[in-house]
Amino acid sequence: MIPRVLTVAGSDSGGGAGIQADLKTMLALGVHGMSVITAVTAQNSLGVQGAWELPVEAVRAQYRSVVDDIGVQAVKTGMLASAELVEAVAELIGATDAPAVIDPVGVSKHGDSLLASSALESVRTKLLPVATVATPNLDEVAQLTGVHVESEEQLRQASAAVLEYGPRWVLIKGGHLPGDAVDLLTDGSAEHWLRAPRHDNRHTHGTGCTLASAIASGLAKGLAVPEAVTAAKEYVTGAIEAGFALGGGIGPVDHGWRFRDGA
């Protein structure tokens, strides 16, 4: 049977991030993607013009509908918007026997807020403890822990701060640092440094969603966390290199780059 992955996230009407990016990534990586939509956004290459979260009851019903009938081999979260949604999703994931990749989305690529400030404590105390892998970028690390990373050496400090909230593994994404794109994956004991060349391409919308979905896809296939993250890093690096212009602003990464490369 094809491995099944469930994304719990917001919809991006421009198709570059959110649910749309998640499902494209899952298809590209050979798993069956399913979705629980938490919010609807009016969004394009220039930014987020509006966002409307769904009721907790609608989110819970979507989740139960999929998990109780179809089943899942991995779950991935993205935009959860409010404390109420964060806590409901954390409870659902905690009762599901599958690895969970938690992308603690705080702001969009354009700087638009996607998480209420009142929800940060719920992310720390409810959501991160159920994570198999948490994948914060440096802005999200600062939001959640107060640790401001300005150099590669500080990635260890950031990872330790996030691990205190209970995820089994944390992947600190150092893409905002100068030089190579360097990420640190650790469970507090083993360390895996993942490096990739930085591509001179401004069209990077959806990078975080794509990476987290790729990790979840690898876990659903039975890969161990380090192998799943390594494979996901390779996939997203290619997607960033192939990112393309769309509209008048920041275009998306290319989720289908391997098909177009003939790889």
Side-chain angles (χ1 to χ4, degrees):
M1 183 175 288
I2 297 175
R4 290 143 287 159
V5 183
L6 177 62
T7 170
V8 184
S11 168
D12 172 4
S13 55
I19 288 285
Q20 288 80 357
D22 297 340
L23 295 177
K24 291 174 187 177
T25 299
M26 293 168 191
L27 177 64
L29 295 178
V31 302
H32 176 65
M34 304 169 291
S35 63
V36 170
I37 297 176
T38 60
V40 175
T41 69
Q43 188 172 168
N44 56 26
S45 69
L46 300 174
V48 179
Q49 292 79 46
W52 301 267
E53 66 183 77
L54 268 67
V56 169
E57 294 78 11
V59 170
R60 186 177 287 113
Q62 290 176 81
Y63 191 100
R64 290 263 59 92
S65 179
V66 171
V67 173
D68 292 349
D69 173 51
I70 301 171
V72 296
Q73 275 73 58
V75 180
K76 174 263 175 189
T77 70
M79 176 186 179
L80 298 180
S82 68
E84 292 77 17
L85 283 176
V86 169
E87 292 176 12
V89 170
E91 180 183 357
L92 289 164
I93 290 174
T96 303
D97 185 18
V101 180
I102 304 299
D103 185 14
V105 175
V107 296
S108 75
K109 180 69 69 178
H110 304 87
D112 303 292
S113 178
L114 299 176
L115 181 72
S117 57
S118 58
L120 286 173
E121 188 62 18
S122 296
V123 173
R124 296 184 190 105
T125 61
K126 304 292 186 181
L127 192 60
L128 289 178
V130 301
T132 306
V133 188
T135 64
N137 63 28
L138 299 186
D139 290 336
E140 290 154 357
V141 167
Q143 259 192 327
L144 292 166
T145 71
V147 174
H148 294 269
V149 176
E150 297 178 353
S151 68
E152 184 177 319
E153 292 71 27
Q154 292 178 295
L155 292 177
R156 281 196 180 98
Q157 179 187 358
S159 66
V162 176
L163 283 171
E164 286 186 5
Y165 292 114
R168 285 173 50 198
W169 291 82
V170 62
L171 177 68
I172 305 294
K173 300 179 293 191
H176 293 172
L177 296 174
D180 287 347
V182 180
D183 305 329
L184 172 59
L185 172 70
T186 180
D187 61 355
S189 177
E191 283 188 354
H192 302 268
W193 293 85
L194 300 145
R195 298 178 184 273
R198 184 176 299 279
H199 296 295
D200 184 19
N201 187 355
R202 66 189 289 264
H203 301 301
T204 57
H205 184 51
T207 306
C209 306
T210 300
L211 179 64
S213 293
I215 294 170
S217 297
L219 295 177
K221 293 176 180 178
L223 297 180
V225 169
E227 286 70 32
V229 172
T230 299
K233 172 85 168 179
E234 179 185 355
Y235 170 73
V236 80
T237 299
I240 291 170
E241 183 179 15
F244 55 91
L246 196 70
I250 299 173
V253 302
D254 185 358
H255 300 94
W257 66 272
R258 283 178 171 161
F259 304 125
R260 277 177 266 285
D261 276 2

